[in-house]
Amino acid sequence: MAQDPRCGIQRTGFYRCTCPHLRPAYWSVNAPRGNRHKYFGECGILHSVEECVIPAHVEAANDTAADPSIWMPPGNVRGDLARSLMYMALRYDGEMSDGNEELDLELSDCPTDSAFPGWDSKQLMGYLSILVKWHEEDPVDLVEQERNDQVCQMWQGNRNPFVDYPDLVETYFGPDSGYPGYDCAPTPVVGIGNSCQDLKPGDVMFTGFRSDNPDVVTMVALVDLSPSTVLYMTDNAYTGTFLRSNEGTVKFQVPLPGIKTGTTIAYGSDTNLPFANLWDGSTIALSVSGDNIFLYCKNNEQDGPSFLSGLIFTTGGWIAQNVDEQVFGTSKSALPKALEESNAHIELTTHLDNYIYTRSRIGSESKLLEFISDPSSWSGSNAADFDISEALSDFTVTKRSPCERMKPGDIMFTGFKSDNPDVITLVALENIPPSLNIYMTDNAYTGSFLRSNEGTVKFQTPSTGIQAGTTIAYGSDASNLPFANLWEGSSVALSVSGDNIFLYCEIDDGAQHFLSGLIYTTGGWIDANSDEEFFGTTKSALPNELKEASAHIEFKSHVDNSIYANERSGSKDELLMLISDSTSWSGSNSPDFDMTRALSDFALIPDKSFTSEESHVDSSPYPLPDDDSAASIKGKFRNEEMCK
């Protein structure tokens, strides 16, 4: 393809075009957006979601949407587009490096208005708060990082810093950043919404109820709720195929400008309860003999429910589905499969009239969901004056910890030598964030916990993180084994009779999050056993998360030493599949077994079919800037050293 001369870089003047902002698009899909000057955003802000068209165009992806003012792109590129717009807002600030004026581009929650003194609607590019949300929901992936590298090295000569350092988005554009784009309120065309707005099970969870009059139900938003989203709450039973209609159902429309993550919403007759005045419909009257509650949404009025949360406080809990709906009465219910699979429900099998969630209100979305769905996190009473005030306070939903963002298979074992001196090698199949503590042990897993009769060592990733494809080694020869000097703790001494090795990190509450496993004991993994002595020093069960992700290597025939001997170049999925296949390994019982090949790095090739959910990048391979001010970053936009 010939290069458009208008799209080159004038090194002493204005950038005639900006590669980080340019994206390929089907003209037939892009024209309805661009020709009508639609902003990137979500339905329900300026127009009723009844005017929302899904998909946005007959040729567009199914998860796109549009109304007269906005255009919502596919979910797997929303974060990419958000970071591109943020680059433009930071890069084009109305002043060039030589003192001349240039276009001043900004982000705003009111892009159709002159939202801030001195700003004109022509310079405003999108809905700021929604772009920040997209950045968080669709994090940087390997494909986007590779694109950033190529833009810098081959065409533009600079980088998009929000791809390299995703946390800078919060610094420059977050709600607490002081950025003026939040200082407005869009004027909506009032209408009743009826859309789930991409909500999924667990995004809103029940946190308390009182069935002793007056009834109260509380819930928390674990994600941002877009304006005009409609939630339905009912105490009708679910039969396994449909909701009954013999009890109450109420409807709640999320107000402008939306509801922030961590906010508590309450239902009840007391208008002092948060958002209680926004419910309408027939009342919900919880039975003191036990009852169930469901929260759901619908994309269209004629659609069935998309369940978000469920709770039951009937003795015995959920019951099996039944075609005879009369079986359920007014206090029993089956559990929708979507809530069961996502663990987005609370089953209180010991009946009490009133309950509230009493555990921590600070944590990541996934951790809070885990806590809330655990019945032991709840406290209840039959007292008619039960105090529900604790359930009315908001939550603080934090970003997932670096350990939680790791997935089984992000690091894999690639070699071991149990003949002295012991050596173990592993490869990072994803970029590993800086200062993350990773643990390696040859303790057995019993099915519920790791034993403590053998060794455990700790590895802290360096301040620059570790690039995907990098090999890490453990062993006594620190001068020749990569990163071997960064391990500390009691040594791991592999048994020549067979052994297992696990790699894991720890979540904030100390829970182990397994990343990889390997066993070379004859017979391989064994079943879980409550008698930990059964495992000795050579046997182990396999954690379910490693089994489900195929993030383990199982040698059923014992060998003292072995290395992965197949391809070292490919996508993460390809390499994970090869590494986890024991036929890709070569070994021997020779004491002088050569581990050299296991010390070489891998070449990770981005899989273009990856979505951000499958290939997230939570850290940068580049050192964070010492000065993260806007002026500093913009100065580095023109520094070609950033490409190297």
Side-chain angles (χ1 to χ4, degrees), residues 99-344:
N100 294 321
E101 291 187 0
E102 66 179 5
L103 186 64
D104 183 11
L105 300 177
E106 303 291 352
L107 303 176
S108 170
D109 274 349
C110 307
T112 59
D113 307 322
S114 297
F116 191 74
W119 286 8
D120 185 278
S121 61
K122 294 179 180 179
Q123 73 187 95
L124 304 178
M125 299 186 294
Y127 288 93
L128 172 61
S129 57
I130 291 175
L131 294 174
V132 171
K133 185 181 80 165
W134 288 354
H135 161 75
E136 295 171 348
E137 294 175 346
D138 176 30
V140 177
D141 59 24
L142 290 172
V143 175
E144 188 179 5
Q145 191 176 71
E146 177 67 18
R147 185 183 192 274
N148 198 30
D149 291 341
Q150 291 184 5
V151 164
C152 193
Q153 295 166 3
M154 300 175 65
W155 297 294
Q156 179 106 355
N158 68 351
R159 311 184 64 82
N160 183 344
F162 302 113
V163 175
D164 289 337
Y165 317 117
D167 288 347
L168 290 180
V169 170
E170 192 70 21
T171 301
Y172 298 125
F173 297 110
D176 299 323
S177 65
Y179 188 75
Y182 292 98
D183 298 338
C184 68
T187 304
V189 176
V190 178
I192 298 299
N194 205 31
S195 171
C196 286
Q197 301 280 26
D198 295 328
L199 291 177
K200 62 184 185 300
D203 283 351
V204 187
M205 288 292 289
F206 291 115
T207 57
F209 68 89
R210 187 171 65 198
S211 66
D212 286 313
N213 287 331
D215 287 9
V216 176
V217 181
T218 62
M219 62 204 75
V220 62
L222 295 180
V223 298
D224 288 339
L225 300 181
S226 301
S228 294
T229 300
V230 170
L231 306 177
Y232 297 85
M233 182 170 63
T234 184
D235 60 341
N236 280 301
Y238 179 69
T239 67
T241 53
F242 62 89
L243 282 169
R244 298 189 70 198
S245 57
N246 60 316
E247 298 188 78
T249 300
V250 291
K251 182 169 69 173
F252 175 89
Q253 181 172 347
V254 176
L256 284 165
I259 290 178
K260 291 294 185 182
T261 302
T263 302
T264 286
I265 303 166
Y267 167 82
S269 57
D270 184 350
T271 56
N272 291 318
L273 298 171
F275 301 100
N277 62 317
L278 298 183
W279 295 91
D280 59 58
S282 61
T283 61
I284 287 181
L286 298 179
S287 170
V288 293
S289 301
D291 213 335
N292 61 272
I293 331 171
F294 291 114
L295 195 72
Y296 63 93
C297 59
K298 298 189 293 185
N299 277 315
N300 294 290
E301 188 65 44
Q302 64 271 22
D303 287 354
S306 294
F307 289 101
L308 303 174
S309 183
L311 181 148
I312 193 165
F313 60 103
T314 301
T315 300
W318 306 109
I319 64 172
Q321 63 183 44
N322 200 305
V323 294
D324 180 7
E325 63 174 290
Q326 301 305 319
V327 167
F328 298 95
T330 59
S331 61
K332 300 176 183 178
S333 177
L335 175 64
K337 187 176 181 181
L339 298 184
E340 181 180 12
E341 292 177 343
S342 57
N343 202 31

Side-chain angles (χ1 to χ4, degrees), residues 404-626:
E404 286 180 281
R405 292 195 290 263
M406 300 285 292
K407 301 191 297 295
D410 281 357
I411 309 178
M412 287 292 289
F413 291 111
T414 58
F416 67 91
K417 182 172 178 284
S418 66
D419 286 312
N420 286 331
D422 288 8
V423 176
I424 300 170
T425 60
L426 37 146
V427 63
L429 295 181
E430 286 279 6
N431 289 345
I432 309 302
S435 303
L436 174 65
N437 289 329
I438 297 171
Y439 299 86
M440 183 170 64
T441 185
D442 60 341
N443 279 300
Y445 179 69
T446 68
S448 53
F449 61 89
L450 281 170
R451 298 191 68 197
S452 57
N453 59 317
E454 298 189 79
T456 301
V457 290
K458 182 176 75 172
F459 175 89
Q460 185 175 83
T461 55
S463 60
T464 55
I466 289 181
Q467 181 87 32
T470 302
T471 285
I472 303 165
Y474 167 81
S476 57
D477 187 0
S479 60
N480 293 310
L481 298 175
F483 300 100
N485 63 314
L486 297 184
W487 294 93
E488 59 182 53
S490 61
S491 63
V492 169
L494 299 179
S495 170
V496 293
S497 302
D499 214 334
N500 62 271
I501 331 171
F502 290 114
L503 203 69
Y504 64 92
C505 57
E506 291 187 343
I507 299 174
D508 293 341
D509 63 353
Q512 289 140 359
H513 181 48
F514 288 100
L515 303 172
S516 184
L518 180 149
I519 193 166
Y520 60 99
T521 301
T522 300
W525 306 109
I526 63 173
D527 292 338
N529 197 302
S530 58
D531 179 9
E532 65 172 293
E533 301 301 327
F534 176 78
F535 296 94
T537 59
T538 60
K539 300 175 183 178
S540 178
L542 176 64
N544 283 336
E545 55 264 50
L546 298 185
K547 180 180 180 179
E548 292 171 357
S550 294
H552 66 99
I553 305 99
E554 181 180 30
F555 297 98
K556 292 190 175 182
S557 298
H558 169 74
V559 64
D560 288 356
N561 320 292
S562 190
I563 61 171
Y564 169 74
N566 210 319
E567 291 290 334
R568 299 180 92 79
S569 176
S571 69
K572 176 189 176 182
D573 281 357
E574 292 167 341
L575 291 172
L576 179 59
M577 181 175 65
L578 289 171
I579 294 170
S580 60
D581 182 356
S582 61
T583 65
S584 297
W585 289 61
S586 176
S588 105
N589 291 323
S590 172
D592 56 356
F593 181 73
D594 187 6
M595 291 285 292
T596 304
R597 185 176 180 185
L599 302 179
S600 61
D601 288 340
F602 287 63
L604 266 290
I605 299 172
D607 184 340
K608 301 304 180 185
S609 67
F610 277 4
T611 65
S612 61
E613 191 74 19
E614 296 166 329
S615 59
H616 66 271
V617 175
D618 292 305
S619 65
S620 170
Y622 308 98
L624 283 167
D626 294 330

